[in-house]
Amino acid sequence: MGSSPYSRAASNSKPSWDRKSKQNTKFGRNFGKFEPKKFSLGLMGFCSLMLLTFFSVSKLFHPSTPLSENDEAVPFIESAPNGKLEEEIANLGSKFEDIGSRNNTTRNESRKLEELSASNETDSTELGYVSFSVFTDLETRKQKIENNVNLKVDSVNELAVIVSKDEGTPMIDKGVPLEDNLNMELHSSDKQDVVTSNIGDEIEVESTEIKSTLTCDENSIDEGFPYARPAICEMTGEITINPVSSLVTIISSPDQGYGEKKIRPYARKDDYLFPKVKEITLKSVFTESDVPHCTITHEAPAVLFSVSGYTGNFFHDMADVLIPLFLTSYQFNGEVQFFVTNYDHKWIQKYRPILGKLSRYSIVNLDRDKSVHCVKHAFLGLFRDRDLIIHLHPTRNPKNYDMLDFTKFLRQVYGLKRGAPIVLGDQLHKRPRMLIISRKGTRRISNLRELVRVSKQLGFEVVVSEAGGNVKRYAQLVNSCDVMLAVHGAGLTNQIFLPPNAVVIQVVPWGKMDWMATNFYGQPAIEMNLKYLEYSVSMDESSLIERYPRDHVVFKDPYSIHLQGWEALSNVIMAQNVKLNLRRFRETLLSALDLLQE
């Protein structure tokens, strides 16, 4: 018979029925004499067993039970060996004291967490966590949260806590299971998913709905200027560029209603341009399955434009492409990707220094490229203002650039050192340098040699050169001069290389050319902080007098020729040469000298 605290071993070997009878009699007679000390120890052990059972069961129902992961199991009392009862009970008491201490610590830490969450503190070091473990058993519908928040679990109380990546701010209430604490909400106003805690705080996570914007300026007209602005679209979101199909797609929601547009990305709106400039289709789709798979992804914004149209003429190169490209892309400090349609290798090489300064990336040839490109921000077309002019405007020019910014940019591109012209009188024997831009075709100065002679007599150092050729060399030549003289035409565009406060002289041909002269070159000169002079030739200084009688409409009503269109204007008025009345023109040269003294 096994021993127990309530029985003693028999001292003799009598029959079993006799022993049992006497034992019962002995138990009743000696019960009152049982040792009080052993009885109290037994009672304490029994209570301890019940208390241990209570703590074990309550742990299953209380999320903040401080008992950890069953790494310190308390031995059962009945397994204690004889003579070790007091020692086991003492050990058990110390364990309960340790558990109570840890439970108090947990309550303190929990109170800290609640206070910190309520006050939106961001310093996670104040939480006093012993250690964290990553909460990895979220369901599939919570996977997108894991990319935006860190899920950490307090190893002491096994409470899930969400901490934002940026600030480390706890966002979840204590004592509530993570599955019940997270609410996924889709805000219809901005289509953004958020994680919302029971205390009302939110963390933005990756959107399940594609957020996109598309703004197009297609019918803008500049008051007081006869040319309509070209179409341009700016977009953000999930954008793909497919050169093979000349298609740009943007993923949007059906209620945004972007539809489909066809854009010719050249910064001049002109009916004559339509056959020359390639058309790009802009289309909105609703799902990723509607667009081809990306083969190249660009982090930089994209700018799509054409180098066709009237390019090849220096005026149009600047007014229709390079100045609008500056206005559109300079704000990105080189972090912008160019996509060019109607690709012209010679044109690209000619202006490679400017293009390379605006973008640090290789240009994508939309006419030959076969890849599908993906971007987050794109411009289809270019912003433009008037010819050789940049005005302030909230949408076309959000960075408030002007022509002084552009000319400064060009001086940096081509290493133009002069930032100011000569000031007469500051340097002895230093003569102001004047560049006369010659022409081989129409609008030539037929008495050029006489003009040079008179100019030298007045004190100018004269340089005669036809515009064109290597852009950098010609830019350096122009920048070395203090005065530039030319008959109305694309050569006057080279004024962009003059140092500020230099003088520009425009010779305006016969035939009501005043408006064109002022708007194409006169006002731009003023915008570039240049000093502008204008000389209008008389009927007798024009070669038209040799072609038409004095009573011809070209002399009686020259504006009627303008109304007939560009072809008539080009064949009649723009085809003349000029023979300057040097006695009359001398006054204009003297005015230029006066301006250099200011």
Side-chain angles (χ1 to χ4, degrees):
M1 187 176 183
S3 62
S4 73
Y6 299 101
S7 64
R8 295 190 180 186
S11 58
N12 50 38
S13 57
K14 293 190 178 182
S16 60
W17 60 268
D18 186 57
R19 287 198 304 271
K20 182 176 182 181
S21 175
K22 292 187 176 183
Q23 284 174 356
N24 292 337
T25 303
K26 187 176 180 180
F27 176 81
R29 187 172 55 248
N30 295 332
F31 181 81
K33 300 179 181 181
F34 194 87
E35 300 179 47
K37 179 179 180 181
K38 292 184 179 181
F39 178 77
S40 62
L41 290 176
L43 182 60
M44 183 179 297
F46 175 79
C47 293
S48 299
L49 179 61
M50 296 301 294
L51 185 61
L52 178 61
T53 303
F54 171 77
F55 273 106
S56 300
V57 173
S58 64
K59 179 179 182 297
L60 299 176
F61 298 96
H62 197 288
S64 61
T65 301
L67 293 179
S68 59
E69 301 169 355
N70 293 329
D71 55 345
E72 298 180 9
V74 180
F76 290 105
I77 294 177
E78 53 265 40
S79 64
N82 287 332
K84 298 294 184 179
L85 182 59
E86 294 85 354
E87 182 179 345
E88 292 298 328
I89 291 175
N91 290 338
L92 185 62
S94 64
K95 291 179 184 292
F96 288 150
E97 290 177 2
D98 181 61
I99 291 172
S101 175
R102 289 165 58 190
N103 196 31
N104 290 333
T105 301
T106 301
R107 292 191 184 96
N108 292 335
E109 295 299 335
S110 299
R111 282 192 293 270
K112 282 185 180 182
L113 178 59
E114 291 171 352
E115 293 170 0
L116 195 57
S117 177
S119 61
N120 290 324
E121 291 291 334
T122 58
D123 188 0
S124 61
T125 59
E126 295 182 14
L127 297 179
Y129 291 151
V130 176
S131 63
F132 294 94
S133 61
V134 179
F135 195 94
T136 59
D137 59 340
L138 293 177
E139 294 182 4
T140 303
R141 71 185 183 90
K142 296 294 190 299
Q143 290 302 314
K144 58 186 164 184
I145 305 174
E146 295 180 349
N147 296 327
N148 297 273
V149 295
N150 298 323
L151 296 178
K152 298 182 178 181
V153 179
D154 189 334
S155 62
V156 175
N157 58 19
E158 296 180 349
L159 284 179
V161 178
I162 289 188
V163 181
S164 79
K165 269 186 178 178
D166 293 335
E167 301 294 342
T169 306
M171 306 300 292
I172 293 296
D173 290 346
K174 282 174 51 57
V176 181
L178 182 65
E179 194 69 20
D180 297 332
N181 216 329
L182 297 181
N183 299 316
M184 296 301 300
E185 295 182 357
L186 184 63
H187 292 288
S188 60
S189 60
D190 57 6
K191 307 298 182 186
Q192 279 290 105
D193 283 339
V194 296
V195 178
T196 306
S197 74
N198 288 341
I199 59 176
D201 294 319
E202 296 181 352
I203 303 174
E204 287 192 1
V205 300
E206 186 177 348
S207 177
T208 56
E209 293 289 333
I210 300 299
K211 218 178 161 183
S212 64
T213 63
L214 175 63
T215 304
C216 293
D217 183 358
E218 300 176 84
N219 300 301
S220 175
I221 297 178
D222 184 359
E223 294 296 332
F225 205 68
Y227 303 116
R229 298 192 188 281
I232 176 174
C233 293
E234 180 180 2
M235 64 205 84
T236 61
E238 299 296 327
I239 305 160
T240 59
I241 303 169
N242 190 346
V244 175
S245 56
S246 299
L247 178 66
V248 175
T249 58
I250 178 171
I251 301 178
S252 63
S253 59
D255 59 344
Q256 289 177 303
Y258 295 151
E260 182 174 313
K261 303 176 184 294
K262 295 186 181 296
I263 304 292
R264 297 182 189 273
Y266 181 74
R268 184 177 290 273
K269 196 168 186 178
D270 190 327
D271 291 342
Y272 290 100
L273 294 171
F274 288 169
K276 299 180 180 180
V277 180
K278 189 174 183 179
E279 192 174 63
I280 303 294
T281 301
L282 172 60
K283 183 179 180 181
S284 65
V285 297
F286 305 142
T287 62
E288 292 184 1
S289 61
D290 294 329
V291 297
H293 178 70
C294 297
T295 54
I296 300 176
T297 299
H298 304 271
E299 296 297 327
V303 176
L304 291 76
F305 61 98
S306 169
V307 296
S308 182
Y310 296 132
T311 57
N313 174 291
F314 190 58
F315 170 80
H316 288 287
D317 289 346
M318 286 292 165
D320 298 355
V321 180
L322 295 175
I323 294 177
L325 187 61
F326 171 86
L327 183 58
T328 306
S329 64
Y330 188 65
Q331 59 184 306
F332 299 112
N333 298 314
E335 288 296 327
V336 60
Q337 176 67 60
F338 292 156
F339 293 79
V340 175
T341 187
N342 302 116
Y343 192 93
D344 184 335
H345 179 73
K346 290 184 178 179
W347 193 95
I348 296 295
Q349 288 301 113
K350 182 177 181 178
Y351 297 109
R352 178 71 68 181
I354 296 177
L355 299 172
K357 193 73 171 179
L358 290 173
S359 172
R360 65 188 64 189
Y361 302 103
S362 298
I363 296 173
V364 177
N365 182 348
L366 285 175
D367 301 332
R368 292 189 176 182
D369 191 84
K370 306 298 182 184
S371 302
V372 177
H373 302 262
C374 290
V375 297
K376 298 289 187 181
H377 188 187
F379 299 84
L380 179 55
L382 301 173
F383 290 116
R384 76 161 289 150
D385 209 312
R386 294 186 177 183
D387 295 318
L388 305 184
I389 288 178
I390 300 176
H391 285 144
L392 301 181
H393 193 275
T395 57
R396 292 194 300 270
N397 185 11
K399 298 297 183 180
N400 296 328
Y401 297 130
D402 56 26
M403 284 303 294
L404 288 176
D405 293 315
F406 182 69
T407 55
K408 180 181 178 180
F409 167 74
L410 291 179
R411 289 198 295 274
Q412 294 173 346
V413 169
Y414 292 114
L416 308 181
K417 298 179 180 179
R418 296 185 75 218
I422 188 175
V423 177
L424 293 183
D426 283 357
Q427 300 179 22
L428 293 176
H429 310 297
K430 182 69 175 177
R431 308 175 77 185
R433 196 177 198 202
M434 182 169 69
L435 169 65
I436 300 176
I437 297 179
S438 61
R439 297 174 62 99
K440 290 182 178 179
T442 60
R443 283 165 280 154
R444 290 181 289 109
I445 299 175
S446 58
N447 57 341
L448 180 59
R449 289 185 179 181
E450 289 82 357
L451 173 62
V452 172
R453 177 178 54 80
V454 171
S455 299
K456 288 182 177 180
Q457 288 176 352
L458 293 175
F460 287 101
E461 175 189 349
V462 181
V463 178
V464 179
S465 177
E466 185 177 4
N470 183 278
V471 178
K472 181 175 182 178
R473 284 199 295 268
Y474 206 79
Q476 291 173 338
L477 172 62
V478 174
N479 184 251
S480 71
C481 296
D482 308 294
V483 179
M484 190 180 80
L485 185 156
V487 180
H488 176 85
L492 278 165
T493 308
N494 287 283
Q495 65 186 331
I496 60 179
F497 301 126
L498 283 171
N501 293 310
V503 179
V504 176
I505 302 174
Q506 178 177 197
V507 177
V508 183
W510 170 264
K512 289 292 181 182
M513 293 288 293
D514 308 72
W515 185 92
M516 294 178 66
T518 299
N519 284 277
F520 291 168
Y521 301 110
Q523 188 59 37
I526 296 172
E527 299 282 340
M528 298 178 215
N529 199 24
L530 300 173
K531 296 170 181 178
Y532 176 69
L533 294 172
E534 193 172 280
Y535 178 84
S536 297
V537 303
S538 66
M539 183 174 64
D540 292 328
E541 290 175 288
S542 170
S543 64
L544 294 175
I545 199 67
E546 301 171 2
R547 295 173 56 188
Y548 303 99
R550 289 182 178 272
D551 60 352
H552 192 273
V553 67
V554 71
F555 299 117
K556 296 294 185 180
D557 185 16
Y559 190 67
S560 64
I561 297 177
H562 289 257
L563 297 178
Q564 296 176 34
W566 173 255
E567 186 175 356
L569 185 67
S570 176
N571 292 333
V572 179
I573 293 179
M574 300 296 285
Q576 66 183 296
N577 296 321
V578 299
K579 185 178 181 179
L580 296 173
N581 182 337
L582 295 177
R583 182 173 295 179
R584 190 165 75 97
F585 190 70
R586 180 186 176 93
E587 296 300 320
T588 302
L589 295 176
L590 290 174
S591 296
L593 291 173
D594 290 340
L595 291 173
L596 290 176
Q597 296 183 58
E598 294 180 357

